[in-house]
C-alpha cells in the first residue's frame, strides 16, 4: 500500500508547526510506522534541531541538494536522508541542507538563494518531484513536510503539488484565523491547475498553543470562535454525527511553558501522558493521521480507544517468525525452519552473535522463537530484550515470543521475563516436527494441516542433502554419493516422490562418518550439484506456503 504525504502548514510563524510535526513523527515511528520528515521551510529551517540528539549522523545534504540534483541532471538522485534513532519503527530526516556543528553550513544560504523555483518548474521540476514523491510513498507509510509560512513558490510545492492532506496549524488570534480557511481554498485552486489527478485536500485544522490554565473562560471563548471559523475544513472527512467544536477540542495542542524553551520532544519523556500533558494532545493528532483522517466517530466516543487502535495497528512483516539459535543448534534450527515452511509459516533464521541483527531499526518478523540448549547465549539475550522492548508493550500486543528448549534444560536459570513464557520441549536427536506444529498452531491460531506425502518426501530430501558432510571416509564413496544425488535430481524432475524418499534414505546412510577417522574432502563438483538440488527443493518447499 502506498504511503501518504502530509504537509504541516501555517500562515504565520511562531505557532509551533515544526514542534508539532517533529513530535508527531516520533510518535508514528514509535508505533511502528515508517516515517520520512522533510524540512521544506528553506528560508527558516530548523527541523534538524529537534532530532539532533537522536541522529545517526549530521545531515550532509538535504532539500536544496535535491533541487541541485535536478539542475545538474543527476541520473540517480541520492536520498539526502539520515536516520533518526527512535525505537519502534523507521524515522528518516531530510534536512534543508548540510548541517555542521548543529547549524546549516556556510554554503547553504547562497545556494538556496540562487535557486529560481519558477525557472525550475518551467524546466520540468514538477515531473522530477513526482518521481521523488513516488519513491517516498513506496518506501514510507507517512511523509511529513514542514512547509514555510505565507504564500510562495516553495509553499505551493508543499501545499498544492506534493501532499495528500494538510495539517494547518494556527493560534487563537485574528491574524491566524482570518486566513486559515482561505489558504486551504488557495491550495485546492493551485492543485486544480496541476496536471496530476489528485482529489481535493483533506485539511486538519490544529489549534496550537492555547493557554487554558489561567484564563480558562477566554480560552474557551476563543476555542468556540475558532471552531466556527474552521468548520468548513471538516466537511469532507469528519463523520456527520461529530460536531466540529468537539473535534477541534481534540485537535488543540495546549501551551505548556516547560516545553516552550528550545527544540524538544516531550513525547519521548511523557511515555504515558495524562490529559493535562502536551503529549496527550500530540498523541491524538498522530492517531488521526495514522487512521488516515477516518473513524472520527470513535475518537468522539472514546479518545483512548482511538489512540490505542492507532498504536496497536497490525503491521505487515516480511516474516511470521524469526528463529534465534546458537550455532551449536544450527542443524535443529534449520530443520525447524523447514518444518515451519512446510506448514505455511514464513520463517527464517536470526544468526545470534551477528551485531548487524541488533543494529537493525526495523523488525523483519512478527514473532521470535528462541532455541535454547541449557543456557541462553549472550547474543540471544540481547535479541530477546530488544524484541521485548518493541513488542511486549502496548505498541505490539499481537506479537509473541516463544522458547524452544532442549529436554532437561533448567528453566529456572533463564531470565525472569523468559521464565513466564510458554516453553516447548524438543529432543536434540529428533527432527523437531511436533514443536513446529505446536508453533504453527500458536502463531496462526488454527490447527496445522496434516503433512502430505509429497511434502514429507521433500522434507526428507532436504534433510539428507543438508547432512552431506564436507568430508567422506574414502574416495571410493564419492561415486556412490554422486550417483545418489543425481538419482535424487532425476526423481525430483519427474515427480517420483517415492523414489526421491528412498534415495534420500540412501544418501543419509552414505553420509555417516567412518569410525577410522580417515576422511577425504568432498569434490567441489559434487558439492555444487548437491547445493543446486537443495536450492531447487527448498524453492518447492516454499511454494507450498504460497
Amino acid at each position: 500500500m502506498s504511503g501518504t504525504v502530509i504537509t504541516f502548514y501555517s500562515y504565520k510563524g511562531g505557532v509551533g508547526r515544526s514542534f508539532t510535526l517533529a513530535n508527531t513523527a516520533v510518535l508514528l515511528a514509535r508505533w511502528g510506522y515508517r516515517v520520512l520528515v522533510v524540512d521544506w521551510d528553506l528560508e527558516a529551517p530548523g527541523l534538524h534541531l529537534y532530532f539532533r540528539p537522536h541522529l545517526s549522523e549530521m545531515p550532509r545534504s538535504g532539500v536544496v541538494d535535491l533541487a541541485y540534483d535536478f539542475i545538474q541532471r543527476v541520473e540517480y538522485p541520492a536520498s539526502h536522508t539520515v536516520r533518526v534513532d527512535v525505537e519502534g519503527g523507521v524515522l528518516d530526516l531530510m534536512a534543508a541542507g548540510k548541517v555542521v556543528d548543529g547549524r546549516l553550513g556556510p554554503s547553504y544560504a547562497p545556494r538556496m538563494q540562487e535557486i529560481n523555483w519558477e525557472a525550475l518548474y518551467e524546466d520540468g521540476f514538477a515531473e522530477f518531484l513526482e518521481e521523488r514523491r513516488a519513491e517516498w510513498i513506496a518506501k514510507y507509510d507517512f511523509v511529513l513536510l514542514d512547509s514555510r509560512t505565507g504564500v510562495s513558490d516553495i509553499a505551493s510545492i508543499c501545499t498544492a503539488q506534493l501532499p495528500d492532506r494538510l495539517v494547518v496549524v494556527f493560534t487563537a488570534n485574528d491574524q491566524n484565523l482570518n486566513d486559515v480557511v482561505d489558504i486551504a481554498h488557495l491550495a485546492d485552486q493551485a492543485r486544480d491547475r496541476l496536471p496530476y489527478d489528485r482529489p481535493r485536500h483533506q485539511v486538519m485544522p490544529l489549534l496550537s498553543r492555547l493557554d487554558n490554565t489561567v484564563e480558562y473562560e477566554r480560552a474557551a471563548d476563543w476555542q468556540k470562535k475558532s471552531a466556527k471559523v474552521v468548520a468548513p475544513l471538516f466537511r469532507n472527512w469528519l463523520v456527520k454525527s461529530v460536531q466540529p467544536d468537539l473535534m477541534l477540542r481534540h485537535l488543540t495542542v495546549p501551551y505548556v511553558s516547560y516545553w516552550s524553551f528550545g527544540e524538544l520532544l516531550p513525547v519521548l519523556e511523557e511515555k504515558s501522558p495524562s490529559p493535562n500533558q502536551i503529549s496527550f494532545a500530540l498523541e491524538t493528532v498522530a492517531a488521526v493521521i495514522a487512521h488516515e483522517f477516518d473513524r472520527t466517530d470513535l475518537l468522539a466516543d472514546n479518545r483512548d480507544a482511538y489512540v490505542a487502535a492507532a498504536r496497536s495497528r497490525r503491521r505487515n512483516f516480511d516474516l511470521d517468525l524469526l528463529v534465534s539459535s546458537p550455532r551449536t543448534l544450527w542443524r535443529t534450527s534449520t530443520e525447524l525452519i523447514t518444518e515451519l515452511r512446510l506448514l505455511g509459516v514464513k520463517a527464517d533464521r536470526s544468526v545470534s552473535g551477528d551485531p548487524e541483527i541488533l543494529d537493525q531499526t526495523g523488525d523483519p518478523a512478527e514473532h521470535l522463537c528462541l532455541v535454547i540448549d541449557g543456557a541462553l547465549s549472550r547474543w540471544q539475550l540481547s535479541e530477546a530484550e530488544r524484541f521485548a522492548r518493541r513488542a511486549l508493550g502496548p505498541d505490539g500486543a499481537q506479537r509473541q515470543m516463544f522458547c524452544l528448549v532442549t529436554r532437561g534444560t533448567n528453566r529456572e536459570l533463564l531470565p525472569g521475563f523468559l521464565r513466564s513464557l510458554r516453553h516447548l520441549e524438543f529432543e536434540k536427536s529428533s527432527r523437531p516436527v511436533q514443536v513446529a506444529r505446536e508453533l504453527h498452531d500458536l502463531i496462526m491460531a488454527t490447527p496445522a494441516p496434516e503433512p502430505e506425502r509429497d511434502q514429507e518426501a521433500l522434507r526428507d530430501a532436504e534433510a539428507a542433502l543438508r547432512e552431506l558432510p564436507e568430508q567422506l571416509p574414502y574416495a571410493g564413496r564419492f561415486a556412490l554419493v554422486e550417483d545418489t544425488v543425481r538419482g535424487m535430481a532425476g526423481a525430483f524432475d519427474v515427480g517420483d516422490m517415492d523414489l526421491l524418499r528412498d534415495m534420500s534414505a540412501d544418501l543419509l546412510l552414505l553420509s555417516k562418518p567412518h569410525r577410522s577417522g580417515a576422511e577425504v574432502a568432498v569434490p567441489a563438483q559434487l558439492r555444487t550439484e548437491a547445493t543446486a538440488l537443495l536450492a531447487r527443493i527448498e524453492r518447492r518447499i516454499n511454494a507450498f506456503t504460497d
Side-chain angles (χ1 to χ4, degrees), residues 222-394:
W222 270 100
Q223 195 163 39
K224 290 178 182 178
K225 179 179 179 178
S226 299
K228 185 176 181 180
V229 172
V230 303
L233 301 180
F234 288 116
R235 285 175 183 163
N236 65 345
W237 64 276
L238 188 63
V239 173
K240 294 186 182 300
S241 61
V242 180
Q243 295 301 311
D245 60 336
L246 172 60
M247 183 53 56
L248 191 63
R249 285 201 296 274
H250 283 297
L251 298 177
T252 296
V253 178
Y255 172 78
V256 179
S257 59
Y258 181 83
W259 301 113
S260 65
F261 301 98
E263 292 78 17
L264 302 172
L265 297 172
V267 296
L268 291 180
E269 297 186 37
E270 300 173 348
K271 295 295 183 68
S272 300
S274 58
N276 63 339
Q277 292 181 302
I278 197 167
S279 296
F280 189 84
L282 293 167
E283 281 189 340
T284 306
V285 174
V288 174
I289 290 174
H291 284 295
E292 302 278 1
F293 287 33
D294 197 9
R295 303 182 66 190
T296 51
D297 52 340
L298 174 59
L299 173 56
D301 290 340
N302 189 328
R303 178 266 178 199
D304 291 345
Y306 187 79
V307 172
R311 289 167 59 97
S312 61
R313 183 195 70 151
R314 193 172 182 85
R315 292 164 52 192
N316 294 320
F317 294 90
D318 295 331
L319 298 170
D320 297 316
L321 184 70
L322 205 63
V323 178
S324 171
S325 69
R327 297 188 182 276
T328 55
L329 291 177
W330 185 273
R331 172 181 170 182
T332 297
S333 61
T334 298
E335 293 175 342
L336 176 65
I337 290 169
T338 299
E339 295 293 337
L340 289 166
R341 288 175 176 175
L342 286 169
L343 296 171
V345 177
K346 291 182 289 185
D348 208 342
R349 181 193 310 279
S350 172
V351 183
S352 296
D354 183 355
E356 292 183 1
I357 294 294
L358 301 181
D359 290 339
Q360 291 177 356
T361 300
D363 290 322
E366 184 170 9
H367 309 294
L368 176 67
C369 176
L370 301 167
V371 184
I372 303 170
D373 182 19
L376 198 68
S377 72
R378 179 170 59 90
W379 285 100
Q380 281 185 294
L381 176 60
S382 297
E383 284 181 295
E385 290 175 339
R386 175 179 178 274
F387 183 90
R389 287 195 303 269
R390 295 189 175 201
L392 298 184

Side-chain angles (χ1 to χ4, degrees), residues 4 15 67 69 97 135 143 149 216-217 304 344 356 370 406 423 439:
T4 303
V15 300
D69 283 345
E135 293 172 356
V143 179
T149 58
Y216 177 79
E217 291 184 0
D304 291 345
E356 292 183 1
L370 301 167
T406 55
H423 299 132
L439 280 172

Side-chain angles (χ1 to χ4, degrees), residues 497-509:
M497 293 296 139
D498 289 333
L499 179 58
L500 179 64
R501 185 184 295 105
D502 291 343
M503 302 201 78
S504 299
D506 293 342
L507 183 61
L508 281 173
L509 289 174

Side-chain angles (χ1 to χ4, degrees), residues 502-520:
D502 291 343
M503 302 201 78
S504 299
D506 293 342
L507 183 61
L508 281 173
L509 289 174
L510 292 170
S511 298
K512 287 186 175 181
H514 198 270
R515 290 185 178 180
S516 67
E519 294 180 327
V520 182

Side-chain angles (χ1 to χ4, degrees), residues 14-82:
V15 300
R17 183 193 67 247
S18 298
F19 169 86
T20 304
L21 183 152
N23 281 274
T24 299
V26 170
L27 283 171
L28 290 170
R30 285 181 56 214
W31 296 349
Y33 297 90
R34 299 165 299 165
V35 183
L36 169 66
V37 294
V38 183
D39 192 349
W40 219 297
D41 187 3
L42 300 184
E43 293 188 353
L47 198 55
H48 60 279
L49 296 172
Y50 288 93
F51 303 113
R52 180 170 50 183
H54 311 284
L55 291 175
S56 58
E57 59 178 325
M58 287 297 110
R60 301 178 182 178
S61 59
V63 174
V64 165
D65 302 274
L66 187 68
Y68 275 92
D69 283 345
F70 171 75
I71 294 170
Q72 297 166 1
R73 295 296 189 264
V74 175
E75 185 175 2
Y76 299 107
S79 68
H80 300 295
T81 62
V82 292

Side-chain angles (χ1 to χ4, degrees), residues 415-474:
F417 74 102
L418 294 181
R419 289 199 298 269
S420 61
L421 299 180
R422 180 166 183 173
H423 299 132
L424 306 178
E425 281 192 341
F426 72 101
E427 293 282 359
K428 285 193 290 186
S429 59
S430 302
R431 193 176 179 89
V433 177
Q434 183 56 40
V435 290
R437 296 179 68 83
E438 291 182 59
L439 280 172
H440 171 280
D441 295 353
L442 292 169
I443 293 171
M444 300 301 186
T446 56
E450 291 300 322
E452 299 179 2
R453 286 181 58 80
D454 287 1
Q455 291 175 279
E456 291 179 342
L458 290 170
R459 184 180 64 199
D460 292 344
E462 184 263 357
L465 289 166
R466 288 192 180 280
E467 286 296 302
L468 184 63
E470 295 292 334
Q471 297 178 319
L472 289 172
Y474 51 86

